[in-house]
Amino acid sequence: MNSPVYFTLTPSPLGKLLLTATPRGLSGLWLSGEKHCPDLAPEWQENPACFTTVTTQLEEYFRGTRQIFDLPLDASGTAFQQQAWAALQQIPYGTTLTYQQQATLMGRPAAVRATGTANGRNPLSIIVPCHRVIGANGSLTGYGGGLPAKQWLLSHEATTRSFRQ
């Protein structure tokens, strides 16, 4: 039997966020209109109380008083995607890496395109910071939530970087 999926919609400076969770942890965070944002499934159960810690940490992040999220995560993905998403979590707040640097960090320097594809399927945007990965020439390339959201997140982190958690 599949675990239940809980969901809530919560406001943010980037618009409404869809949050999903299983009993094991947060399984999704998508910006409204994000490319891979799922439709609400009829079997999902709306339960905002499941997301109190998540929404508190997101509010702290958007205020600039939180740089590291401390949440149980339960993202579904292939082994390679899981490896890419784990590497994303190693990128410090307020800094960026290129896709090449991320692939190298993963021990897969030739897998630059695959790394970018895995990042594009990241179901935990903001929490697993795929917005911190940029093109080799410093350009803002690809972001499921759109390039304006990516720019906003990077600018937000750059201006609040001096806070120490």
Side-chain angles (χ1 to χ4, degrees):
M1 182 171 164
N2 289 338
S3 294
V5 175
Y6 306 104
F7 80 94
T8 194
L9 297 167
T10 190
S12 82
L14 296 170
K16 207 161 274 227
L17 303 177
L18 169 62
L19 305 175
T20 61
T22 69
R24 293 177 302 281
L26 187 68
S27 59
L29 185 160
W30 296 273
L31 291 97
S32 179
E34 187 169 332
K35 183 178 180 179
H36 297 291
C37 183
D39 293 326
L40 297 180
E43 66 273 14
W44 291 0
Q45 302 168 34
E46 186 167 14
N47 189 344
C50 290
F51 299 94
T52 304
T53 302
V54 178
T55 56
T56 297
Q57 289 190 22
L58 284 167
E59 289 167 1
E60 293 167 350
Y61 171 83
F62 287 123
R63 274 197 315 265
T65 59
R66 173 170 293 277
Q67 296 183 358
I68 299 169
F69 292 95
D70 181 21
L71 301 164
L73 304 178
D74 187 29
S76 294
T78 67
F80 184 84
Q81 287 171 331
Q82 295 287 342
Q83 185 183 20
W85 302 338
L88 291 171
Q89 292 178 290
Q90 295 177 47
I91 306 171
Y93 182 95
T95 63
T96 58
L97 289 183
T98 65
Y99 292 95
Q100 179 67 64
Q101 290 170 318
Q102 181 188 359
T104 300
L105 180 63
M106 295 165 54
R108 310 279 295 263
V112 177
R113 284 187 187 270
T115 298
T117 300
N119 288 358
R121 297 302 299 197
N122 171 18
L124 291 165
S125 64
I126 302 170
I127 305 284
V128 176
C130 53
H131 61 275
R132 295 181 189 154
V133 183
I134 59 174
N137 64 359
S139 65
L140 298 187
T141 59
Y143 185 64
L147 292 182
K150 184 172 187 165
Q151 179 62 60
W152 190 95
L153 290 164
L154 291 174
S155 295
H156 169 70
E157 290 185 7
T159 59
T160 59
R161 177 176 28 220
S162 62
F163 171 76
R164 296 286 180 241
Q165 198 162 304

